[in-house]
């Protein structure tokens, strides 16, 4: 019952193994069921097909002089070595296989057991295949044309498609799979696994995968990889970006399935496809304006031209452009506000504050745009700039802004009308009482201005709080526009309001049934308006009258009404108290009698 049983066993991979000349191979070996120290020694031998009974010593973990002469130089150079994984496991590594390395490899473990039981060696056959893998750049032209001997240099506009082809084939007699991947390296950088960034590849199981920086573009459909025919692979990068510049390579790896079911790479080759430069839109987009500084009068048309230049791809499938005009008042910082623009679809729109005006934004040539204001106003004076934006189209119809450029400032001067307004406002009667109608009058005087000048006037109030004017902006009460149409605001007291024109240049505001809530400081704000040939109005001048204080006084009878009510109430209470006291006393005396 106390006896144990074990037997030594040496394990190597199941064979035969197929590998290719010039590539590396690793053959593992481990021992189990042994006695003695935990660290076992290993010896490797080779039996060549032409001498199957002759063992050629390759390398040993115990004896540095173990190698035969045919392997000695390769062992010394490190091309052939045995690497210990743990005490009872090693791996034989051959860096560059040669045709004469084919044969049966034996892993032998010297005995450390008390009894000779089990197996002390394991054997596996290695067959060396000739290198039949071929990789080259696919010619861009028809099939059959030879690819150039040196990699071409391609120039791609930002947003355009980058298409590269690769030819990969093998004539290995065994059943193998090819994995083909496209990679990019920084220009002039040495090519290696550390510097080569994978873009996209077809794995040995035909799955298409992208490198980490390109995974999102593959999922969005901007990056595609397909196989054309038996040996041609084509990669398409849509919407080229500045980061896509570099040297592109095609790497083909040949895989074979070992007898244990695992897949092993037996060959790999790489070919340079092209040096790619991406011409960014930001480096090419330029905007100029004309015809130069402009001086015009009010009501005259204003035309400005914007020219977009540079080595740009045409608008269409891969690129799109939008052009707009901005205006900043003289001396104001920044580019200013939008006047008008044409979007990427050629649809025009006006900026805030320009709605209702006769303004046209149109494309008059392939890259020339015109802004036209039918009737300029003094408020149109300022500095104009043309803003152009370039977009690249990603997957589907998605646009991404790639560049923008502004022109130099273009000064525009519009002559003033020279209208001077003055306004005088007062409260009719000087004093007003609660319940009455307050009439406020405003007389306007005008100097200068073109014929057909129209006047408008509005009334505003500021409410007092704790004896001081509120910080809240003045509130519109009512007014009459330049077209004679009345506009009513909000009266503080909430009662009826009437505004009217009582003379050619005289306006009146009436507050009916005046109440204490109507108290405040009122003022009149006249404005002068000019109508142009396009029927648009613009304000040529404005003014503000002095303050008019409205305080609703109480009538004299109103001041006596409250004391009268108080006195009456006190008298009634006193009388009732006296009467009640007398009546009570009388009833008591009557009861006693």
């Amino acid at each position: 019952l106390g006896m144990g049983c074990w037997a030594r066993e040496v394990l190597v991979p199941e064979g035969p193994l197929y590998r290719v000349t010039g590539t590396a191979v690793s053959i593992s070996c481990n021992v189990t069921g042994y006695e003695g120290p935990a660290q076992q020694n290993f010896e490797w031998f080779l039996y060549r097909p032409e001498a199957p009974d002759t063992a050629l010593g390759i390398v040993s973990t115990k004896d540095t002089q173990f190698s035969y002469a045919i392997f000695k130089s390769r062992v010394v150079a490190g091309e052939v070595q045995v690497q210990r994984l743990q005490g009872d496991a090693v791996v034989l590594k051959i860096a560059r296989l040669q045709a004469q390395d084919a044969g049966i490899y034996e892993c032998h473990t010297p005995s450390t057991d008390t009894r000779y039981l089990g197996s002390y060696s394991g054997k596996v056959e290695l067959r060396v295949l000739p290198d039949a893998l071929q990789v080259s750049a696919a010619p861009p032209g028809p099939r059959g044309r030879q690819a150039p001997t040196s990699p071409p240099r391609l120039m791609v506009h930002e947003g355009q498609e980058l298409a590269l082809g690769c030819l990969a084939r093998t004539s290995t007699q065994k059943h193998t799979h090819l994995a083909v991947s496209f990679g990019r390296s920084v220009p002039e950088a040495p090519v290696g696994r550390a510097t080569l960034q994978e873009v996209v590849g077809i794995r040995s199981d035909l799955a298409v995968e992208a490198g980490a920086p390109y995974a999102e573009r593959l999922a969005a459909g901007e990056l595609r990889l397909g196989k054309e025919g038996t040996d041609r692979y084509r990669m398409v990068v849509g919407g080229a970006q500045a980061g896509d510049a570099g040297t592109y390579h095609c790497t083909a790896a040949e895989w074979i399935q070992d007898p244990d079911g695992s897949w092993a790479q037996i060959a790999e080759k790489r070919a340079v496809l092209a040096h790619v430069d991406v011409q960014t839109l930001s480096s090419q987009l330029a905007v100029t304006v004309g015809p130069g500084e402009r001086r015009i009068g009010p009501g005259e048309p204003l035309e400005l031209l914007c020219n977009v230049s540079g080595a740009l791809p045409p608008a269409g499938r891969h690129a799109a452009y939008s052009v707009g005009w901005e205006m900043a008042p003289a001396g104001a910082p920044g580019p200013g506000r939008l006047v008008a623009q044409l979007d990427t679809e050629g649809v025009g729109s006006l900026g805030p504050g320009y709605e209702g005006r006769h303004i046209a934004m149109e494309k008059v040539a392939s890259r020339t745009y015109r802004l036209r204001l039918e009737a300029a106003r003094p408020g149109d004076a300022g500095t104009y700039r043309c803003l152009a934006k370039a977009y690249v189209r990603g997957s589907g119809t998605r646009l991404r802004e790639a560049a923008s450029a502004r022109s130099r400032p273009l000064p525009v001067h519009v002559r003033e009308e020279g209208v001077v307004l003055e306004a005088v406002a007062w409260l009719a009667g000087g004093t007003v009482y609660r319940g009455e109608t307050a009439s406020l009058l405003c007389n306007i005087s005008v100097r200068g201005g073109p014929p057909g000048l129209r006047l408008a006037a509005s009334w505003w109030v500021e409410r007092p709080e704790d004896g001081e004017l509120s910080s809240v902006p003045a509130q519109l009460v009512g007014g009459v526009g330049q077209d004679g149409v009345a506009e009513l605001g909000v009266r503080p007291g909430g009662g009826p309001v009437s505004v009217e024109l009582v003379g050619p240049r005289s306006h009146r505001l009436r507050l009916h049934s005046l109440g204490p809530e109507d108290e405040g400081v009122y003022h009149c704000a006249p404005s002068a308006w000019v109508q142009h040939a396009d029927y648009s109005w613009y304000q040529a001048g404005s003014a503000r009258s002095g303050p008019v204080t409205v305080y609703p006084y109480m009538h004299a009878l109103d001041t006596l009404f409250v004391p009268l009510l108080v006195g009456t109430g006190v008298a009634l209470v006193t009388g009732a108290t006296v009467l009640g006291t007398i009546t009570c006393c009388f009833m008591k005396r009557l009861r006693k009698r």
Side-chain angles (χ1 to χ4, degrees), residues 138-152:
R143 296 290 297 271
R145 286 182 50 187
Q146 295 296 322
T149 55
S150 61

Side-chain angles (χ1 to χ4, degrees), residues 7 132 134 167 229 248 255-256 282 293 313 334 370 375 378 399 430 484 536 562 580:
Q134 299 178 9
L167 293 177
Y248 282 78
W255 293 75
I256 193 169
S282 58
E293 185 173 358
R370 179 175 64 190
L399 290 176
S536 63
V562 174

